[in-house]
Amino acid sequence: RGAAAPWAFVAQSAPAKEAILAERAVAPLDRASAEVLLAEAKAAMRGNALSSRGPFAAAYALAKLGDTAAADRAMALSVARDPRNVVGQQWLVARSVRAGDYVQALRHLDAIMRLRPALQADITRAMVPFLRAPNMVEAFVEAGQSNPPWMPLFIDNAARDAQSADGLYRLMRELAAKPAVDLPPAAITQVVQAALARGEDGQAVAVYRAFFPS
């Protein structure tokens, strides 16, 4: 019944313990503290089959202990259980880029930009070279069918990059063929004007006609 009793109870609750685990995970770790953290993370996961912070903490501990593959699996599990975890999404972006899996990286970046709109400018600029990787035009087309709020900004950035122009032109033509896609005219105009400025009149006409066939 004392004034501190309720707080002591809260501190020992499972959600509080998991929150503390997550805080310790992102703090500096040495091998000894990583082993302790991993043991506590495993205990948290045993106590809560849907724990997201348990595998989050386990990922950092495993990474410190040198088990990169297990760390990545743990983080993927954490994000699957809590897709709002921006730090976890960023971890998986880095993993996907290292593995050359830009399709998966795009999915995680899409989630991050929806959660943190203020990051759209920087992320869409960094994503432009993705257009040069295999299968990435198709991945952007798939993403574009949900009309993500970052797509016009991405197109604006891509239109300024001559090295990615071929991928962008194909992306625009394929987006035009998808009935669900609703791009603002300014985004289309940006691509057409960039093509004309580079002397690629045929590409400019092809993109324009794809969206405005009449």
Side-chain angles (χ1 to χ4, degrees), residues 28-42:
L29 293 172
D30 56 22
R31 187 170 187 85
S33 60
E35 289 174 347
V36 172
L37 180 64
L38 180 59
E40 294 181 5
K42 288 180 176 178

Side-chain angles (χ1 to χ4, degrees), residues 107-130:
R107 294 191 181 114
H108 293 300
L109 288 169
D110 174 60
I112 291 170
M113 287 187 285
R114 290 176 188 270
L115 291 165
R116 298 286 188 273
L119 299 177
Q120 289 181 11
D122 290 336
I123 291 177
T124 53
R125 224 175 359 252
M127 288 195 311
V128 171
F130 284 17

Side-chain angles (χ1 to χ4, degrees), residues 43 61 71 74 94 121 128 148 163 191 211:
V128 171
Q163 290 181 298
V191 176
F211 284 93

Side-chain angles (χ1 to χ4, degrees), residues 45-114:
M45 288 187 281
R46 286 194 298 270
N48 177 7
L50 298 178
S51 169
S52 65
R53 287 172 169 170
F56 179 83
Y60 277 90
L62 288 163
K64 184 64 180 181
L65 295 171
D67 195 342
T68 304
D72 288 342
R73 289 194 299 271
M75 189 60 78
L77 177 60
S78 175
V79 170
R81 291 176 176 176
D82 180 14
R84 298 167 298 175
N85 184 344
V86 172
V87 174
Q89 296 278 10
Q90 290 171 330
W91 173 302
L92 296 177
V93 168
R95 180 195 70 170
S96 301
V97 170
R98 284 197 306 272
D101 188 350
Y102 296 99
V103 174
Q104 193 64 30
L106 176 58
R107 294 191 181 114
H108 293 300
L109 288 169
D110 174 60
I112 291 170
M113 287 187 285
R114 290 176 188 270

